[in-house]
Amino acid sequence: MDHSSDYDADDVLVVSEPRQLKALADDLRTKIVMLLRDRARSTQELAGELGLPKGTLAHHVKVLERAGLIRVVRTRKVRALTEKFYGRTARLFVYKVEDPADARALGSAALRQAADELAAAPEGATFGLIGARLAPEDVKRFERRLDRLVNDF
């Protein structure tokens, strides 16, 4: 188990199925997955942290669960009910996208999430962004190198 987390998960999941890609293209579901990065949470906890009704949040949790992106990692009895705690199925999601529209939707969701994290960052935090214009043949070479790096990681 990763010592920074309170549940076991695979290291990497290649996200390529249409249902998975569609689930992660939604901003709210992206936030849910990010919240589950460090520790498992119940639907009640997630609803409270995101300021949403429990029913609304439960719907999005089910979408993520059906897509195989999150799972129940433990339960506990609360009076007559069983409370479920959800965690990610993997620590790192690697996207494999064929459709350019899916790539744009996922990229947009990731950038919005990054912007939200930046806005919430403490004073003095530093960030970096690298931009490059590449010829098509250089893009292919860069993608191959990046794939090797991700696989090694």
Side-chain angles (χ1 to χ4, degrees):
M1 176 160 76
D2 179 353
H3 296 290
S4 64
S5 181
D6 66 348
Y7 65 93
D8 288 326
D10 291 341
D11 289 332
V12 178
L13 173 68
V14 176
V15 177
S16 59
E17 296 175 17
R19 181 170 38 175
Q20 293 173 323
L21 297 169
K22 184 177 179 183
L24 288 173
D26 179 87
D27 289 349
L28 177 56
R29 290 192 284 265
T30 299
K31 286 179 184 175
I32 293 168
V33 167
M34 296 307 279
L35 283 172
L36 297 175
R37 180 174 39 194
D38 299 325
R39 69 176 180 85
R41 288 173 167 80
S42 67
T43 306
Q44 183 79 28
E45 289 175 310
L46 288 166
E49 288 183 51
L50 294 168
L52 294 169
K54 189 176 172 188
T56 299
L57 193 94
H59 163 74
H60 291 281
V61 164
K62 288 297 174 201
V63 170
L64 290 165
E65 188 177 23
R66 282 193 301 268
L69 299 167
I70 67 171
R71 63 183 174 84
V72 175
V73 295
R74 69 176 171 273
T75 59
R76 77 172 178 190
K77 282 284 191 193
V78 179
R79 293 180 279 287
L81 302 174
T82 300
E83 185 175 32
K84 296 177 183 178
F85 288 81
Y86 293 89
R88 293 163 59 129
T89 55
R91 300 282 168 226
L92 176 67
F93 293 155
V94 176
Y95 301 111
K96 185 174 182 182
V97 183
E98 301 295 328
D99 183 355
D102 287 340
R104 282 191 299 278
L106 285 167
S108 295
L111 289 172
R112 285 189 296 273
Q113 179 66 32
D116 289 348
E117 288 181 18
L118 180 58
E123 188 70 31
T126 59
F127 300 88
L129 176 65
I130 298 172
R133 295 186 193 277
L134 301 172
E137 62 273 7
D138 292 330
V139 169
K140 292 198 181 302
R141 208 170 84 235
F142 179 75
E143 286 175 340
R144 284 192 304 269
R145 289 179 74 182
L146 189 57
D147 283 343
R148 283 195 307 269
L149 179 64
V150 167
N151 287 333
D152 288 348
F153 176 74

